[in-house]
Amino acid sequence: MKYFDNKFIWGCATSSYQIEGEAYGNGKGPSIWDDFVRIPGKTVNGEHAEVSCNFYHTYREDIALMAQMGIKAFRFSFSWPRIMPLGYGKINEQGIQFYSDMINCLLEHGIEPYATLYHWDLPLELQTAHNGWLNPKITEYFTEYANVCFRNFGDRVKNWITINEPWVVAILGYGQGAFAPGRVSQTEPYLVGHHELLAHAKAVKYYRDNYQASQQGQIGISLNCDWREPLTNNPEDMEAAERALLFFAGWFADPIWKGDYPEVMRQRIGHKLPSFTPEEKAMLMGSSDFFGLNHYTTMFAANSKNTNSDRNVYGNGGISEDQHVDLSVDPAWETTTMNWAVVPWGFRKLLEWIDKRYNRPTIIITENGMSNNDTVSNGEVNDQPRINFIRSYLEACHEAMQHGADVRGYFAWSLLDNFEWALGYQKQFGLIHVDMKTLVRTPKASAWWYAGVVKNNCID
Ligand code: PNW
């Protein structure tokens, strides 16, 4: 038995574009994802999320299911173009009403809202007319939008996440082109990451200056990071693994917890990596009340033997020309249907690495979970592999906590089977199965197992 303290936050996570549906109705403006999914070849089978789980219309039912499971916290994201159809200026009151009602419904069920401001569905207008995250002015648009959210929801939302996975936006959106807006470049990701950091810091400053005292909430960022294990014990590979972590989490965490990009990034990237002014450094430093961590997998890292790029789309380190790291996996490792290796000890090592490098920050696991092909049989979904996955990752988390990591909460990705971006609906992460034709919900075995963990604050 492994016990967690009774203040530990047990939650489930989602994002707007992946679950809401109602992509064009009720005053919502189009997002870059609404546009991207229409380009042939961008998503598996041309799948899109115009309806997806239909959460926009079924949230009461879904929140009731969560309450039945005893879930204490729900992580969702606001759709920027549902709140501001163009991304700036005019506000869509129907969008405000929807989120307001949804938040009230959570609170009526005793579920704590954790709201992400940006989970990738940028208003299309900001992309087509304003150059998206490449435009330095995005920091102002983002702060204007964040202010609308703080003002309308901050009386009830006490936990804010500015940006979900800035690494994915930069690398998959502007480096490899696998995600919206589908740009392919060696240099743009650094500019995009730079603007994401500044947008984050500006919005946090705005919250702290104008709302935090009266609303009493916390605000932070969610970073995705895999673990990188040195392939061998030779110093070059050990250094390569460390470098890979610095190019991954360190890219965003160092400016926030240490005031600038990692030295190794500045050295290797040179002028392609923008620099911060002293004022920007000061604004970034300490701009996250917690370290939101999204973690899924582990890879080996070795000092690169070739000078060529190795740019496979999902799950690699990206920008490997600059990192000079070769990534690999142990063929003996079990993998999920995303092809991500199941390596719970990598999670423990990563938590301990974060704990040490950033001087014991408060950590919230804002995503962790497993993609598995689940089918309903006799009204049940027996997803034992997912139970094993979550159990082993929670055990690893517990071990890291025993070694001092200050982990305050865990959010399972995801509440519902949903639209897995470029990979469509075949990839299933939910604790609750959603039949995409009938939209019928069936809680999986993992949902009831997780409900037990939440209830008892312990894993058996
Ligand atoms: C995260 N990678 O995405 C997102 O926050 C979720 O929206 C998503 O559904 C979940 O993880 C599962 O994929 C990622 O290539 C997508 O390293 C790709 C990567 C990492 C995270």
Side-chain angles (χ1 to χ4, degrees):
M1 294 287 226
K2 293 214 158 77
Y3 287 90
F4 291 76
D5 85 64
N6 54 18
K7 287 201 286 294
F8 198 79
I9 304 144
W10 296 103
C12 285
T14 60
S15 87
S16 47
Y17 185 66
Q18 291 179 277
I19 66 165
E20 283 178 1
E22 200 57 68
Y24 299 107
N26 295 358
K28 178 179 167 293
S31 79
I32 54 173
W33 271 93
D34 292 315
D35 187 60
F36 189 70
V37 296
R38 287 171 177 273
I39 303 169
K42 293 296 186 189
T43 69
V44 169
N45 302 326
E47 286 168 354
H48 54 72
E50 279 172 37
V51 177
S52 189
C53 305
N54 201 33
F55 179 81
Y56 186 89
H57 296 288
T58 61
Y59 70 87
R60 287 177 195 282
E61 184 191 318
D62 293 323
I63 291 171
L65 272 172
M66 245 193 295
Q68 233 185 312
M69 290 163 62
I71 298 298
K72 306 228 165 95
F74 180 52
R75 178 174 175 234
F76 62 93
S77 72
F78 293 112
S79 160
W80 185 347
R82 190 183 296 292
I83 289 178
M84 300 172 97
L86 297 178
Y88 53 85
K90 191 180 147 298
I91 293 170
N92 172 31
E93 291 303 332
Q94 283 172 283
I96 301 285
Q97 193 65 48
F98 162 66
Y99 289 115
S100 190
D101 292 347
M102 198 269 284
I103 291 163
N104 289 343
C105 185
L106 287 171
L107 294 174
E108 280 158 24
H109 285 86
I111 299 171
E112 182 75 11
Y114 277 68
T116 310
L117 290 167
Y118 187 71
H119 201 126
W120 312 347
D121 42 357
L122 189 78
L124 184 60
E125 168 80 6
L126 286 185
Q127 188 69 47
T128 49
H130 300 272
N131 220 10
W133 287 98
L134 290 169
N135 183 347
K137 264 192 82 179
I138 189 85
T139 63
E140 287 161 40
Y141 297 129
F142 182 71
T143 306
E144 181 191 348
Y145 155 65
N147 179 34
V148 172
C149 294
F150 301 147
R151 194 173 67 225
N152 282 281
F153 312 119
D155 56 335
R156 289 154 293 162
V157 171
K158 305 299 173 190
N159 309 280
W160 296 94
I161 292 155
T162 52
I163 297 179
N164 179 68
E165 304 186 347
W167 183 97
V168 168
V169 174
I171 297 295
L172 301 187
Y174 288 79
Q176 304 177 352
F179 282 9
R183 296 184 62 86
V184 178
S185 163
Q186 290 288 307
T187 52
E188 288 181 3
Y190 296 120
L191 197 54
V192 166
H194 198 72
H195 295 152
E196 291 188 278
L197 277 162
L198 291 172
H200 153 82
K202 217 179 245 193
V204 169
K205 180 170 169 22
Y206 202 86
Y207 182 72
R208 289 181 176 166
D209 288 351
N210 298 283
Y211 296 101
Q212 202 163 33
S214 58
Q215 296 184 349
Q216 296 285 312
Q218 55 172 348
I219 186 162
I221 194 166
S222 284
L223 306 180
N224 59 305
C225 194
D226 303 344
W227 175 247
R228 296 294 183 241
E229 180 72 7
L231 181 64
T232 74
N233 282 336
N234 85 44
E236 287 197 332
D237 289 344
M238 310 237 319
E239 237 178 75
E242 181 72 11
R243 193 160 70 240
L245 290 167
L246 292 174
F247 268 76
F248 209 154
W251 180 4
F252 301 98
D254 269 36
I256 294 173
W257 276 273
K258 291 175 175 289
D260 203 351
Y261 290 121
E263 176 64 29
V264 71
M265 284 188 82
R266 287 187 284 134
Q267 269 171 14
R268 290 189 176 239
I269 300 166
H271 69 275
K272 283 192 297 173
L273 187 68
S275 49
F276 297 114
T277 65
E279 295 74 40
E280 289 170 341
K281 285 183 190 174
M283 182 171 72
L284 274 157
M285 186 71 185
S287 63
S288 204
D289 294 328
F290 54 86
F291 193 123
L293 175 67
N294 296 354
H295 175 78
Y296 289 94
T297 191
T298 283
M299 290 179 111
F300 284 123
N303 193 31
S304 185
K305 302 228 174 8
N306 55 38
T307 46
N308 256 334
S309 60
D310 157 30
R311 301 196 299 142
N312 44 31
V313 173
Y314 270 64
N316 81 352
I319 45 175
S320 52
E321 303 74 4
D322 296 326
Q323 286 182 55
H324 225 72
V325 172
D326 285 341
L327 297 171
S328 58
V329 293
D330 184 334
W333 287 340
E334 186 194 327
T335 54
T336 72
T337 59
M338 291 284 280
N339 248 334
W340 292 348
V342 180
V343 189
W345 54 260
F347 189 27
R348 173 177 53 82
K349 290 192 175 190
L350 176 63
L351 286 168
E352 290 174 5
W353 184 87
I354 291 169
D355 181 57
K356 187 157 168 241
R357 183 165 182 87
Y358 302 111
N359 218 342
R360 194 136 300 176
T362 298
I363 301 173
I364 302 174
I365 312 302
T366 42
E367 285 181 26
N368 172 245
M370 179 197 203
S371 164
N372 187 55
N373 280 337
D374 302 315
T375 47
V376 185
S377 126
N378 300 322
E380 290 179 11
V381 182
N382 184 9
D383 58 338
Q384 190 61 41
R386 181 172 291 103
I387 296 177
N388 300 345
F389 180 100
I390 297 181
R391 182 195 279 118
S392 64
Y393 273 71
L394 279 175
E395 276 167 4
C397 174
H398 191 271
E399 270 177 56
M401 290 165 75
Q402 307 250 277
H403 294 159
D406 185 15
V407 183
R408 305 286 178 93
Y410 176 92
F411 287 75
W413 182 270
S414 177
L415 176 68
L416 305 168
D417 287 341
N418 61 51
F419 178 72
E420 181 51 35
W421 308 110
L423 300 176
Y425 294 100
Q426 272 68 13
K427 305 299 171 193
Q428 302 180 27
F429 276 94
L431 299 177
I432 296 173
H433 180 74
V434 181
D435 182 311
M436 290 299 162
K437 290 201 185 72
T438 62
L439 296 176
V440 168
R441 271 67 167 156
T442 310
K444 302 177 188 178
S446 60
W448 303 125
W449 175 83
Y450 190 57
V453 172
V454 174
K455 180 156 176 262
N456 301 318
N457 267 314
C458 89
I459 29 179
D460 47 22

PDB file of all heavy atoms in Angstrom, residues 220-234:
ATOM      1  N   GLY A 220       0.269  29.124 -13.071  1.00  0.00           N
ATOM      2  CA  GLY A 220       1.528  28.529 -13.497  1.00  0.00           C
ATOM      3  C   GLY A 220       1.463  28.083 -14.947  1.00  0.00           C
ATOM      4  O   GLY A 220       0.605  28.525 -15.719  1.00  0.00           O
ATOM      5  N   ILE A 221       2.390  27.219 -15.315  1.00  0.00           N
ATOM      6  CA  ILE A 221       2.490  26.755 -16.699  1.00  0.00           C
ATOM      7  C   ILE A 221       2.607  25.232 -16.686  1.00  0.00           C
ATOM      8  O   ILE A 221       3.039  24.655 -15.688  1.00  0.00           O
ATOM      9  CB  ILE A 221       3.716  27.418 -17.386  1.00  0.00           C
ATOM     10  CG1 ILE A 221       3.696  27.246 -18.908  1.00  0.00           C
ATOM     11  CG2 ILE A 221       5.041  26.886 -16.803  1.00  0.00           C
ATOM     12  CD1 ILE A 221       4.684  28.163 -19.644  1.00  0.00           C
ATOM     13  N   SER A 222       2.199  24.576 -17.770  1.00  0.00           N
ATOM     14  CA  SER A 222       2.377  23.121 -17.885  1.00  0.00           C
ATOM     15  C   SER A 222       3.389  22.801 -18.975  1.00  0.00           C
ATOM     16  O   SER A 222       3.191  23.155 -20.144  1.00  0.00           O
ATOM     17  CB  SER A 222       1.049  22.421 -18.212  1.00  0.00           C
ATOM     18  OG  SER A 222       0.248  22.349 -17.061  1.00  0.00           O
ATOM     19  N   LEU A 223       4.463  22.134 -18.584  1.00  0.00           N
ATOM     20  CA  LEU A 223       5.507  21.752 -19.536  1.00  0.00           C
ATOM     21  C   LEU A 223       5.477  20.249 -19.751  1.00  0.00           C
ATOM     22  O   LEU A 223       5.293  19.488 -18.798  1.00  0.00           O
ATOM     23  CB  LEU A 223       6.881  22.145 -18.987  1.00  0.00           C
ATOM     24  CG  LEU A 223       7.048  23.611 -18.578  1.00  0.00           C
ATOM     25  CD1 LEU A 223       8.451  23.862 -18.057  1.00  0.00           C
ATOM     26  CD2 LEU A 223       6.765  24.540 -19.764  1.00  0.00           C
ATOM     27  N   ASN A 224       5.664  19.842 -21.002  1.00  0.00           N
ATOM     28  CA  ASN A 224       5.787  18.392 -21.241  1.00  0.00           C
ATOM     29  C   ASN A 224       7.262  18.031 -21.260  1.00  0.00           C
ATOM     30  O   ASN A 224       8.092  18.779 -21.796  1.00  0.00           O
ATOM     31  CB  ASN A 224       5.131  17.973 -22.563  1.00  0.00           C
ATOM     32  CG  ASN A 224       5.716  18.661 -23.774  1.00  0.00           C
ATOM     33  OD1 ASN A 224       5.768  19.881 -23.848  1.00  0.00           O
ATOM     34  ND2 ASN A 224       6.153  17.871 -24.749  1.00  0.00           N
ATOM     35  N   CYS A 225       7.574  16.930 -20.650  1.00  0.00           N
ATOM     36  CA  CYS A 225       8.947  16.449 -20.728  1.00  0.00           C
ATOM     37  C   CYS A 225       8.988  14.942 -20.531  1.00  0.00           C
ATOM     38  O   CYS A 225       8.366  14.405 -19.614  1.00  0.00           O
ATOM     39  CB  CYS A 225       9.818  17.132 -19.674  1.00  0.00           C
ATOM     40  SG  CYS A 225      11.594  16.885 -19.961  1.00  0.00           S
ATOM     41  N   ASP A 226       9.688  14.276 -21.426  1.00  0.00           N
ATOM     42  CA  ASP A 226       9.986  12.850 -21.270  1.00  0.00           C
ATOM     43  C   ASP A 226      11.249  12.745 -20.427  1.00  0.00           C
ATOM     44  O   ASP A 226      11.960  13.728 -20.236  1.00  0.00           O
ATOM     45  CB  ASP A 226      10.279  12.204 -22.631  1.00  0.00           C
ATOM     46  CG  ASP A 226       9.158  12.366 -23.635  1.00  0.00           C
ATOM     47  OD1 ASP A 226       8.036  12.702 -23.224  1.00  0.00           O
ATOM     48  OD2 ASP A 226       9.424  12.163 -24.846  1.00  0.00           O
ATOM     49  N   TRP A 227      11.562  11.536 -19.966  1.00  0.00           N
ATOM     50  CA  TRP A 227      12.863  11.336 -19.340  1.00  0.00           C
ATOM     51  C   TRP A 227      13.874  10.940 -20.412  1.00  0.00           C
ATOM     52  O   TRP A 227      13.519  10.276 -21.398  1.00  0.00           O
ATOM     53  CB  TRP A 227      12.806  10.266 -18.253  1.00  0.00           C
ATOM     54  CG  TRP A 227      14.159   9.959 -17.670  1.00  0.00           C
ATOM     55  CD1 TRP A 227      14.852   8.779 -17.785  1.00  0.00           C
ATOM     56  CD2 TRP A 227      14.986  10.843 -16.897  1.00  0.00           C
ATOM     57  NE1 TRP A 227      16.055   8.884 -17.122  1.00  0.00           N
ATOM     58  CE2 TRP A 227      16.175  10.143 -16.573  1.00  0.00           C
ATOM     59  CE3 TRP A 227      14.841  12.174 -16.459  1.00  0.00           C
ATOM     60  CZ2 TRP A 227      17.209  10.718 -15.838  1.00  0.00           C
ATOM     61  CZ3 TRP A 227      15.874  12.745 -15.722  1.00  0.00           C
ATOM     62  CH2 TRP A 227      17.041  12.016 -15.420  1.00  0.00           C
ATOM     63  N   ARG A 228      15.099  11.388 -20.259  1.00  0.00           N
ATOM     64  CA  ARG A 228      16.185  10.978 -21.155  1.00  0.00           C
ATOM     65  C   ARG A 228      17.244  10.261 -20.325  1.00  0.00           C
ATOM     66  O   ARG A 228      17.892  10.862 -19.465  1.00  0.00           O
ATOM     67  CB  ARG A 228      16.804  12.220 -21.827  1.00  0.00           C
ATOM     68  CG  ARG A 228      15.820  12.960 -22.751  1.00  0.00           C
ATOM     69  CD  ARG A 228      15.429  12.123 -23.943  1.00  0.00           C
ATOM     70  NE  ARG A 228      14.543  12.804 -24.879  1.00  0.00           N
ATOM     71  CZ  ARG A 228      13.324  12.391 -25.188  1.00  0.00           C
ATOM     72  NH1 ARG A 228      12.799  11.330 -24.599  1.00  0.00           N
ATOM     73  NH2 ARG A 228      12.609  13.027 -26.089  1.00  0.00           N
ATOM     74  N   GLU A 229      17.391   8.977 -20.574  1.00  0.00           N
ATOM     75  CA  GLU A 229      18.337   8.138 -19.841  1.00  0.00           C
ATOM     76  C   GLU A 229      19.605   7.985 -20.683  1.00  0.00           C
ATOM     77  O   GLU A 229      19.520   7.667 -21.869  1.00  0.00           O
ATOM     78  CB  GLU A 229      17.706   6.753 -19.617  1.00  0.00           C
ATOM     79  CG  GLU A 229      18.558   5.760 -18.879  1.00  0.00           C
ATOM     80  CD  GLU A 229      18.701   6.076 -17.380  1.00  0.00           C
ATOM     81  OE1 GLU A 229      18.032   6.997 -16.877  1.00  0.00           O
ATOM     82  OE2 GLU A 229      19.515   5.375 -16.745  1.00  0.00           O
ATOM     83  N   PRO A 230      20.795   8.213 -20.089  1.00  0.00           N
ATOM     84  CA  PRO A 230      22.022   8.033 -20.882  1.00  0.00           C
ATOM     85  C   PRO A 230      22.094   6.605 -21.422  1.00  0.00           C
ATOM     86  O   PRO A 230      21.854   5.655 -20.677  1.00  0.00           O
ATOM     87  CB  PRO A 230      23.145   8.276 -19.873  1.00  0.00           C
ATOM     88  CG  PRO A 230      22.507   8.949 -18.704  1.00  0.00           C
ATOM     89  CD  PRO A 230      21.055   8.611 -18.705  1.00  0.00           C
ATOM     90  N   LEU A 231      22.410   6.477 -22.699  1.00  0.00           N
ATOM     91  CA  LEU A 231      22.473   5.148 -23.310  1.00  0.00           C
ATOM     92  C   LEU A 231      23.600   4.311 -22.701  1.00  0.00           C
ATOM     93  O   LEU A 231      23.456   3.111 -22.507  1.00  0.00           O
ATOM     94  CB  LEU A 231      22.668   5.279 -24.827  1.00  0.00           C
ATOM     95  CG  LEU A 231      22.740   3.967 -25.610  1.00  0.00           C
ATOM     96  CD1 LEU A 231      21.411   3.199 -25.531  1.00  0.00           C
ATOM     97  CD2 LEU A 231      23.088   4.231 -27.080  1.00  0.00           C
ATOM     98  N   THR A 232      24.722   4.973 -22.430  1.00  0.00           N
ATOM     99  CA  THR A 232      25.839   4.274 -21.776  1.00  0.00           C
ATOM    100  C   THR A 232      26.335   5.168 -20.647  1.00  0.00           C
ATOM    101  O   THR A 232      25.911   6.310 -20.521  1.00  0.00           O
ATOM    102  CB  THR A 232      27.025   4.054 -22.743  1.00  0.00           C
ATOM    103  OG1 THR A 232      27.686   5.317 -22.946  1.00  0.00           O
ATOM    104  CG2 THR A 232      26.577   3.469 -24.058  1.00  0.00           C
ATOM    105  N   ASN A 233      27.278   4.623 -19.886  1.00  0.00           N
ATOM    106  CA  ASN A 233      27.848   5.401 -18.787  1.00  0.00           C
ATOM    107  C   ASN A 233      28.970   6.310 -19.232  1.00  0.00           C
ATOM    108  O   ASN A 233      29.606   6.952 -18.398  1.00  0.00           O
ATOM    109  CB  ASN A 233      28.398   4.469 -17.710  1.00  0.00           C
ATOM    110  CG  ASN A 233      27.249   3.932 -16.889  1.00  0.00           C
ATOM    111  OD1 ASN A 233      26.199   4.570 -16.833  1.00  0.00           O
ATOM    112  ND2 ASN A 233      27.431   2.776 -16.294  1.00  0.00           N
ATOM    113  N   ASN A 234      29.264   6.316 -20.514  1.00  0.00           N
ATOM    114  CA  ASN A 234      30.382   7.184 -20.872  1.00  0.00           C
ATOM    115  C   ASN A 234      29.967   8.651 -20.799  1.00  0.00           C
ATOM    116  O   ASN A 234      28.813   9.003 -21.046  1.00  0.00           O
ATOM    117  CB  ASN A 234      31.082   6.736 -22.167  1.00  0.00           C
ATOM    118  CG  ASN A 234      30.421   7.265 -23.404  1.00  0.00           C
ATOM    119  OD1 ASN A 234      30.059   8.438 -23.455  1.00  0.00           O
ATOM    120  ND2 ASN A 234      30.254   6.406 -24.388  1.00  0.00           N
TER     121      ASN A 234
END
